Each structure stands twice: as structure tokens, then as C-alpha cells.
């Protein structure tokens, strides 16, 4: 595992974007695994900037997002599809039909999860998977517990995750209680993983995930089993490393 800590946010962002851009330059048809949340936004902004400067193209690339809320209208500003359209897709030349986010409004959520898993497998493996980490160690929406589910599945979000996500909704009660997420096994199939964490509030979970025991009680700790992980941390998140 390569763990890089940056004093400047800008350097973290250009490094992350540079890794993705280099992949796209050497493999224009790359399959990107993408995440929402605050952690990847600076990297998306850098990628948009590089695209505008003619340094990178997404024209032949495809993407798969980790997760989506169940039951939130797709055009809701907080759906992960809206997030991706707003934060990245509409600013670059990726073809929208080549971008994939689980359909959180599918009439049969379990069937949608099976379909999504199949789609990732058919197009994959994902070349580079961008990940954030929850304060409880979740990756995607794989929440801590005695068991983990390998493939894409519906998950009941934990209280702490609902609280963390309440900042994006008018009230706690408006936060969707379920999500669809790629499973840990699906995530670990990616050729390379790029884990991003920012802020002192992530320092403890970063230490637990990367230096602690490998356990389903901290899903991110399973990344220690992957042969090709790069971790990008700001000074705060990297405080204990
Ligand atoms: C988002 C996702 C989540 C977030 C995590 C961290 O697609 O799968 O696991 O990466 O909750 O969120 P932020 O980056 O907002 O701290």
C-alpha cells in the first residue's frame, strides 16, 4: 500500500487527477470506478481543468459509480446520479450513456443490484477505483458489522451514516434510509484503488483501516488485502500515519 500525505490540498488533487489522466492517456477506453461525497470533488475539479486545457479526454471511457440511494428521485439534487452529472460528467466529454450509477428507483431493487453487478463484470475489471471512507470505516455503503456482502446489494444505512449525510438534506428525516452499493468483493476486483481522505476527523479511522486488523467491523481494512492501493491523505487525515 502506498500512503502519500500532502501539505497542500492542491497537490493532493493534482496527484489524484494525474493518476486518472495518465490512465486515460495510456488507455482511452479505461473503466473508471467513481465515488460521490466530499472526498473526490477536488480531484474531479482538477480533471475538469485538465480536460479544458486539452490534457485529458473521457470520450472513450466508461464509468461505474459505487452506490446510490434507494427511492430518491433520480433528478433530486442529492441523488448520486445528479451529483456525478453536476460535479464531473457535464463538464467533460464522457458520453452519458457510458456512465453507470445503480438505479435506486428500480421496481425490484435486488434484481437491479444483480444487474449492476453483472454490468460491472461484463465491462470490467475497473481500471482505477476512487474511494472515500466513512467515519465508521465504510467504503461504498458497506457498513461495519459481523458480515459483509460481496456483490452489489441493498443496504440499510447505519445511524452514523444517516447523521453524516443529513448535512446534505433539509432534515435528518429526509435522508434516505437505504442505498444500493457495490460490495467489498466487487470493489476489490478493481486493478488499482485510489483511497482519498481529508480532515482530522478522518485520522483515527484511517489509522484503524490501514494499520489495524483486517476485519468486517472496519470494511476499509479489507483494502489491506489488495495488491495495488494508493492512499491520498491531507495532513489532517494523515496525522497518525
Ligand atoms: C460515496 C461513498 C461513501 C463516501 C464516504 C465518505 O460514493 O461511497 O463511502 O466515500 O461516506 O464521504 P465523504 O467523502 O463525504 O467524507
Amino acid at each position: 500500500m502506498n500512503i502519500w500525505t500532502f501539505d497542500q490540498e492542491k497537490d493532493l488533487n493534482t496527484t489524484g487527477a494525474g493518476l486518472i489522466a495518465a490512465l486515460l492517456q495510456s488507455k482511452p477506453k479505461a473503466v473508471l470506478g467513481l465515488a460521490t461525497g466530499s472526498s473526490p470533488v477536488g480531484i474531479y475539479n482538477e480533471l475538469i481543468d485538465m480536460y479544458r486545457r486539452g490534457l485529458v479526454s473521457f470520450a472513450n471511457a466508461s464509468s461505474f459509480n459505487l452506490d446510490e440511494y434507494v427511492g430518491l428521485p433520480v433528478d433530486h439534487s442529492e441523488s448520486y446520479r445528479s451529483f456525478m452529472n453536476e460535479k464531473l460528467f457535464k463538464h467533460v466529454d464522457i458520453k452519458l450513456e457510458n456512465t453507470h450509477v445503480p438505479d435506486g428507483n428500480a421496481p425490484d431493487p435486488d434484481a437491479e443490484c444483480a444487474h449492476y453487478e453483472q454490468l460491472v463484470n461484463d465491462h470490467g475489471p475497473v481500471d482505477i477505483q476512487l474511494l472515500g471512507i466513512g467515519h465508521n470505516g465504510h467504503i461504498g455503503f458497506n457498513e461495519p458489522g459481523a458480515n459483509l456482502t460481496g456483490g452489489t446489494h441493498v443496504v440499510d444505512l447505519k445511524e452514523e451514516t444517516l447523521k453524516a449525510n443529513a448535512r446534505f438534506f433539509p432534515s435528518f428525516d429526509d435522508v434516505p434510509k437505504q442505498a444500493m452499493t457495490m460490495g467489498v468483493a466487487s470493489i476489490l476486483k478493481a486493478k488499482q484503488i485510489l483511497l482519498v481522505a481529508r480532515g482530522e476527523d478522518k485520522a483515527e479511522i484511517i489509522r484503524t483501516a490501514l494499520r489495524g486488523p483486517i476485519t468486517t467491523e472496519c470494511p476499509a481494512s479489507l483494502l489491506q488485502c489488495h495488491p495495488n492501493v494508493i492512499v491520498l491523505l491531507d495532513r489532517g487525515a494523515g496525522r497518525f500515519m
Side-chain angles (χ1 to χ4, degrees):
M1 200 175 267
N2 288 298
I3 302 173
W4 299 339
T5 305
F6 297 86
D7 285 325
Q8 307 294 332
E9 288 288 321
K10 175 82 179 162
D11 294 337
L12 188 164
N13 295 333
T14 50
T15 301
L19 289 165
I20 294 170
L23 168 70
L24 287 166
Q25 282 151 8
S26 64
K27 186 177 179 188
K29 289 189 173 174
V31 182
L32 307 177
L34 300 177
T36 59
S38 53
S39 303
V41 171
I43 293 176
Y44 294 154
N45 288 340
E46 279 301 326
L47 283 169
I48 293 165
D49 191 53
M50 292 179 84
Y51 166 70
R52 288 185 179 146
R53 288 190 285 141
L55 300 175
V56 67
S57 169
F58 297 77
N60 297 304
S62 59
S63 72
F64 288 87
N65 263 79
L66 285 167
D67 40 20
E68 178 60 286
Y69 288 119
V70 169
L72 196 64
V74 68
D75 56 357
H76 189 287
S77 60
E78 295 304 331
S79 81
Y80 286 175
R81 163 52 79 180
S82 296
F83 179 103
M84 289 311 302
N85 289 350
E86 289 302 316
K87 303 287 186 207
L88 182 65
F89 298 154
K90 79 176 192 190
H91 305 287
V92 297
D93 60 348
I94 198 161
K95 296 187 183 78
L96 264 194
E97 63 268 28
N98 291 340
T99 67
H100 305 88
V101 180
D103 178 2
N105 292 289
D108 181 342
D110 291 330
E112 166 61 13
C113 288
H115 166 71
Y116 196 75
E117 182 74 17
Q118 189 62 49
L119 212 57
V120 182
N121 283 334
D122 290 349
H123 286 75
V126 165
D127 288 292
I128 192 163
Q129 175 68 57
L130 200 47
L131 290 180
I133 180 172
H135 292 102
N136 62 5
H138 73 214
I139 48 174
F141 275 131
N142 294 281
E143 301 281 27
N147 299 301
L148 287 174
T149 305
T152 305
H153 60 286
V154 176
V155 63
D156 295 328
L157 299 178
K158 293 254 185 196
E159 183 84 6
E160 59 259 39
T161 301
L162 297 174
K163 281 187 185 147
N165 291 2
R167 64 198 150 125
F168 300 118
F169 290 87
S171 79
F172 179 83
D173 290 337
D174 294 307
V175 186
K177 306 292 179 281
Q178 286 190 314
M180 291 174 180
T181 182
M182 282 168 64
V184 173
S186 347
I187 292 170
L188 291 174
K189 283 184 199 164
K191 289 190 195 164
Q192 182 173 51
I193 290 179
L194 197 52
L195 175 67
V196 181
R198 305 171 195 264
E200 287 208 9
D201 54 314
K202 293 279 175 78
E204 193 64 58
I205 193 63
I206 280 291
R207 173 166 62 184
T208 304
L210 306 186
R211 301 278 192 239
I214 298 170
T215 162
T216 59
E217 295 296 344
C218 177
S221 69
L222 276 96
L223 298 175
Q224 293 180 45
C225 303
H226 194 282
N228 191 357
V229 179
I230 295 179
V231 185
L232 305 180
L233 304 173
D234 69 3
R235 204 32 83 191
R239 198 153 69 103
F240 302 135
M241 301 304 292

